[in-house]
Amino acid sequence: MSQSEVPYVCQWATPELAADLIAGRATLAEDANWVQSGAASRAEYVEWANHVCGMACLKMVLTHRDGAAPPLLELVRRSLPYGAYLRDGERIKGLIYAPFVVFVREQFALTAEVRVDLDVHQLPPLLEQHRYFIASVHPSIRQPATQPPARGGHLVLVFAADRHSVTFHNPSGDSFASRQKVTMSLADFGRFFAGRGISIA
């Protein structure tokens, strides 16, 4: 497959609901397509759907490589024994990078590496050496004109970069333009980018 054919996966079962979910006009319990997530129940979908941006990135990678991939919640369940997510009372912590790297190596034969302390200008050479980069960004990256209150907290799949820009899929984009093949200048991306992520060969 060519670069342009990296498939898009939304972390929610109905991408068209994204804007309403983000704005609070709809709830996950109202997502009629929840079963497509691989959740065993609507309750499991509601519990996990806001936490699976990293698994959506993984599913894009696997689908690009293999033509198909397990459902998102199946990926979550398979990753739990590795510690890719942790529960803290009612809270879910994750994606946790180091256990995720072991998970994708053992389960899918992917060569992945945790990357930290990156400057945004290191992304173009990184993407020359690695096929994909799962980047930690602030979720408000879907509104690139805004100034984010912090960096990180959400994961997007970067699959192309040059000395001026990066191109990525955002699992929680609230419109087609903010979801698929988003091209953003390095300077703008850098405002949201936490300087860390996971490279995948």
Side-chain angles (χ1 to χ4, degrees):
M1 284 190 179
S2 71
Q3 222 167 49
S4 62
E5 294 176 297
V6 176
Y8 176 74
V9 175
C10 182
Q11 69 185 81
W12 300 303
T14 306
E16 296 75 20
L17 266 184
D20 287 339
L21 289 169
I22 293 161
R25 296 186 296 265
T27 67
L28 289 169
E30 297 172 70
D31 192 338
N33 294 316
W34 66 267
V35 72
Q36 295 176 15
S37 72
S41 66
R42 189 185 297 267
E44 185 183 36
Y45 174 71
V46 169
E47 179 183 25
W48 281 97
N50 285 337
H51 302 278
V52 295
C53 50
M55 289 303 169
C57 292
L58 173 60
K59 183 169 179 175
M60 295 184 223
V61 169
L62 293 173
T63 306
H64 191 207
R65 183 188 72 175
D66 303 334
L72 288 179
L73 268 292
E74 181 183 329
L75 291 172
V76 167
R77 286 190 293 268
R78 287 170 65 173
S79 77
L80 292 178
Y82 292 86
Y85 295 91
L86 297 174
R87 291 185 184 278
D88 180 13
E90 294 296 305
R91 290 182 62 237
I92 295 170
K93 290 184 174 181
L95 190 80
I96 301 171
Y97 295 178
F100 175 82
V101 165
V102 179
F103 163 63
V104 299
R105 183 181 70 232
E106 293 191 359
Q107 294 281 320
F108 302 108
L110 286 172
T111 302
E113 187 175 337
V114 177
R115 301 280 179 160
V116 297
D117 300 323
L118 287 175
D119 180 85
V120 70
H121 295 283
Q122 293 175 271
L123 294 182
L126 182 68
L127 266 293
E128 288 180 7
Q129 301 296 322
H130 300 268
R131 186 64 189 83
Y132 317 92
F133 181 65
I134 299 175
S136 176
V137 299
H138 191 269
S140 62
I141 198 168
R142 66 176 74 92
Q143 298 169 315
T146 63
Q147 185 61 37
R151 296 180 181 183
H154 176 56
L155 296 170
V156 300
L157 183 70
V158 181
F159 54 87
D162 58 33
R163 59 194 182 93
H164 303 293
S165 65
V166 297
T167 302
F168 60 92
H169 288 332
N170 181 358
S172 73
D174 58 359
S175 66
F176 186 87
S178 68
R179 270 197 291 267
Q180 300 191 41
K181 290 180 67 178
V182 182
T183 297
M184 188 176 290
S185 72
L186 288 180
D188 283 342
F189 191 81
R191 290 187 294 110
F192 301 89
F193 178 47
R196 61 181 180 267
I198 302 163
S199 61
I200 300 178

